[in-house]
């Protein structure tokens, strides 16, 4: 083929010969660049080393990698449009300045905000407490909402609408997360469609077309061999379970359905206990926050972290109960993980919801004391920073728990099983790498980050560092202290399910964010929205500055006369796409 091309080139003009040669050279350069960039991919070598040994555990690993990149991009977004303009304008860098307008038609004491920053000589443990709880010196930094008390930043003659930028940056990181998750979910959705089409097709693909003949390295071949072997084990296991379900008698079905109903009642009781405990712990912590200064260090830290401790205990105990109960419900391995994951996700996300509900109930009280400022100023002078501190504490505490479980549970258990021949120890054996638990940790931490970023703009940076460290902790734990799951599970469908549950976490995060932005009155003592009744009020206020014609266009788009026909057209387009997909 090369000789034929060389003969053809002789009959081409000089311009066409140069064009063809340049095209080939450019393709070679692009291939070299692409190959070189692949070596810069985060955790590339680590992911390939894990893939062949523990193929399914790759879901948790890739989840950490995805969330690490996502949080890093969210941090860049918030830092560029929120933190950086505030810092530059406050210190007058690049001939910049800022405008600070005091709220009007409000009681003067509602505008006073005196953070509990450490002054004078303080003990070292006070700094540790502040570092872990977000109070003291951290409360007055750019980590939290209360630092950004700017109404406008001026760069030479350009005016930067800081409140609008803060709100738009929040919408931008939520929209970015939504689009990125959907984009990654599409590939898994396609694979699920192929697998659900014909089971025999899956065997044929693996046996006759599963091998990659570009592999020349023995180690890479060994990894690929293990991956294919694992996939075949999973297919055979699912086939055996389908046959078992098909052979059930009516009596066996009745017994199983009765047992499942009873187990679901127990699950509901466990959820109720978790929610009630979190509600009472949050109420106790907030009620005793005034007396923190006179407590000892240990009691102080316990009161500060009481909601986080109770939530972490609920997140640890409830999944263990669910994982124990699911064994008696006789589901397939894939459905076991999905159902347990859904129950545990509901526990974790609902726990955050209960915490925020109790906080919001205390913030937006209806007593006479709250009427002057519009919210509970006495307990929460800057309630957005308080919510940000709770999210910060949840993230820090979750990080410490993951490290503690690995160091003080998994490694000692590994040493005992390796060096102790006692029957009880050997019966316990090495721990399995819990896919559901590790995926839950990722989804839980990411939901906290989504909610907390509005109240703590630099929280994504903390989350990025957290996921980066956790990746290596989990990798060491996976390789040195854990064993593969005893029952094979399809990795591709589970990866798709992880993204779906992560999308559910994002949707649930929108609820408290929407309530705090559009419903709860903004703090009058801190933050960029001091001069607005709510954070959302900056949008109509900005629209009023537009030309009259543009205002009319925007009002028309927001009216029912535009929304209803637009909804009908979207439904027709969706119906057409569904019909077209069915025809194909």
């Amino acid at each position: 083929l090369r000789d034929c091309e060389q003969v053809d080139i002789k009959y081409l003009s000089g311009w066409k010969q140069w064009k063809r040669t340049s095209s080939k050279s450019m393709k070679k350069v692009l291939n070299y660049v692409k190959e070189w960039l692949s070596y810069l991919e985060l955790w590339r070598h680590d992911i390939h080393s894990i893939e062949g040994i523990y193929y399914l555990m790759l879901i948790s690993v890739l989840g950490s990698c995805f969330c690490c990149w996502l949080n890093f991009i969210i941090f860049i977004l918030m830092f560029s449009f929120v933190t950086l303009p505030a810092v530059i304008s406050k210190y007058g860098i690049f001939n910049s300045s800022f405008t600070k307008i005091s709220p009007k038609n409000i009681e003067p004491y509602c505008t006073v905000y005196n953070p509990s920053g450490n002054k004078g000589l303080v003990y070292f443990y006070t700094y540790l407490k502040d570092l872990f709880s977000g109070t003291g010196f951290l409360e007055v930094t750019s980590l939290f909402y209360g630092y950004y008390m700017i109404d406008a930043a001026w760069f030479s003659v350009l005016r930067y609408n800081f409140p609008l930028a803060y709100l738009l940056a929040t919408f931008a990181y939520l929209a970015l997360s939504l689009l990125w998750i959907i984009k990654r979910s599409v590939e898994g959705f396609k694979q699920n469609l192929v697998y659900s089409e014909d089971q025999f097709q899956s065997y044929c693909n693996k046996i006759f077309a599963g091998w990659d003949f570009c592999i020349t390295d023995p180690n890479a071949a060994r990894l690929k061999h293990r991956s294919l072997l694992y996939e075949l084990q999973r297919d055979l296991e699912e086939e055996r379970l389908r046959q078992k379900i098909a052979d059930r008698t009516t009596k066996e079905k009745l017994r199983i359905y009765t047992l499942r109903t009873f187990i679901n009642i127990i699950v509901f009781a466990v959820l109720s206990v978790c929610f009630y405990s979190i509600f009472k712990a949050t109420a106790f912590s907030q009620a005793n926050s005034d007396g923190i200064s006179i407590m000892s260090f240990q009691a102080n830290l316990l009161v500060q972290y009481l909601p986080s401790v109770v939530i972490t205990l609920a997140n640890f105990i409830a999944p263990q109960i669910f994982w124990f109960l699911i064994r008696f419900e006789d589901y397939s391995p894939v459905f076991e993980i999905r159902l347990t994951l859904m129950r545990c996700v509901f526990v974790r996300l609902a726990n955050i919801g209960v915490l925020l509900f109790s906080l919001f109930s205390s913030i937006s009280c209806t007593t006479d004391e709250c009427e002057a400022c519009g919210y509970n100023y006495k307990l929460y002078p800057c309630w957005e920073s308080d919510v940000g501190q709770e999210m910060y504490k949840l993230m820090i505490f979750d990080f410490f728990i993951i490290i503690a479980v690995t160091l003080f549970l998994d490694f000692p258990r590994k040493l005992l099983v390796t060096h102790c021949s006692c029957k009880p120890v050997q019966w316990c054996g090495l721990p399995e790498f819990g896919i559901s638990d590790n995926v839950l940790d990722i989804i839980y931490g990411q939901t906290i980050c989504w909610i907390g970023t509005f109240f703590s703009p630099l929280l994504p940076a903390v989350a990025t560092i957290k996921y980066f460290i956790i990746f290596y902790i989990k990798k060491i734990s996976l390789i040195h202290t854990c064993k593969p799951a005893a029952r094979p599970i399809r990795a591709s469908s589970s990866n798709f399910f992880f993204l779906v549950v992560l999308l559910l976490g994002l949707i649930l995060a929108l609820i408290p964010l929407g309530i705090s932005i559009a419903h709860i009155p903004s703090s009058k003592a801190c933050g960029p929205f001091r001069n607005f009744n709510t954070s959302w009020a900056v949008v109509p206020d900005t629209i009023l500055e537009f030309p009259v014609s543009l205002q009319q266009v925007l009002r028309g788009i927001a009216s029912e006369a535009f929304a209803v026909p637009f909804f009908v057209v979207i439904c027709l387009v969706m119906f057409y796409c569904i019909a077209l997909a069915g025809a194909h």
Side-chain angles (χ1 to χ4, degrees), residues 42-286:
L42 186 63
W43 302 323
R44 177 177 179 269
H45 174 73
D46 300 289
I47 289 173
H48 283 307
S49 65
I50 293 171
E51 183 179 12
I53 307 172
Y54 302 100
Y55 187 61
L56 182 60
M57 288 58 170
L58 205 61
I59 301 167
S60 177
V61 171
L62 292 175
S64 297
C65 185
F66 169 70
C67 290
C68 189
W69 276 115
L70 178 62
N71 288 321
F72 179 72
I73 293 174
I74 293 174
F75 160 69
I76 294 296
L77 182 68
M78 297 299 292
F79 181 80
S80 301
F81 292 98
V82 176
T83 306
L84 193 61
V87 172
I88 287 176
S89 60
K90 277 192 173 183
Y91 290 98
I93 305 173
F94 302 128
N95 195 24
S96 59
S97 59
F98 66 93
T99 306
K100 184 176 176 181
I101 305 171
S102 299
K104 299 177 182 178
N105 302 323
I106 198 75
E107 293 293 335
Y109 72 87
C110 295
T111 62
V112 178
Y113 176 50
N114 296 316
S116 57
N118 298 321
K119 298 178 182 179
L121 186 64
V122 294
Y123 292 106
F124 176 71
Y125 68 76
T126 306
Y127 286 108
L128 285 179
K129 176 187 72 69
D130 294 340
L131 183 64
F132 294 149
S133 59
T135 55
F137 75 94
L138 268 185
E139 189 175 356
V140 296
T141 63
S142 56
L143 179 63
F144 292 110
Y145 174 93
Y147 173 84
Y148 303 93
M149 298 179 65
I150 295 177
D151 294 286
W154 292 89
F155 301 97
S156 187
V157 294
L158 297 177
R159 181 178 180 272
Y160 187 76
N161 191 337
F162 192 80
L164 182 65
Y166 196 106
L167 192 63
L168 291 180
T170 301
F171 294 155
Y173 83 74
L174 292 172
L176 172 69
S177 303
L178 178 65
L179 293 175
W180 202 351
I181 293 173
I182 290 175
K183 182 180 180 298
R184 289 179 65 94
S185 301
V186 168
E187 291 300 322
F189 182 67
K190 289 177 181 178
Q191 291 179 8
N192 276 359
L193 286 177
V194 171
Y195 280 122
S196 62
E197 188 70 25
D198 183 13
Q199 185 64 29
F200 184 70
Q201 186 185 69
S202 175
Y203 288 113
C204 291
N205 287 340
K206 290 181 180 64
I207 297 299
F208 297 109
W211 188 256
D212 183 1
F213 287 93
C214 294
I215 294 177
T216 56
D217 181 61
N219 291 327
R222 195 156 43 247
L223 293 178
K224 184 67 176 177
H225 181 266
R226 288 173 179 171
S227 297
L228 285 171
L229 178 63
Y230 189 90
E231 287 286 314
L232 289 170
Q233 287 177 340
R234 185 266 311 154
D235 287 337
L236 293 170
E237 177 72 8
E238 288 188 359
E239 188 70 29
R240 184 187 67 79
L241 285 167
R242 273 195 293 270
Q243 187 63 41
K244 178 183 175 182
I245 292 171
D247 295 340
R248 282 176 183 163
T249 62
T250 306
K251 184 178 179 181
E252 289 176 340
K253 290 179 180 178
L254 183 63
R255 181 187 63 81
I256 289 173
Y257 292 148
T258 305
L259 183 61
R260 288 176 182 174
T261 303
F262 177 71
I263 289 174
N264 281 304
I265 293 172
I266 298 175
V267 169
F268 181 77
V270 171
L271 294 175
S272 302
V273 171
C274 291
F275 298 159
Y276 180 77
S277 302
I278 293 167
F279 183 82
K280 297 300 288 184
T282 306
F284 178 82
S285 177
Q286 298 301 318

Side-chain angles (χ1 to χ4, degrees), residues 12-29:
L12 296 176
S13 63
W15 165 252
K16 289 186 177 180
Q17 289 183 17
W18 179 85
K19 190 176 179 181
R20 180 177 291 188
T21 305
S22 301
S23 176
K24 286 184 177 180
S25 301
M26 183 59 67
K27 285 182 180 178
K28 285 184 178 180
V29 170

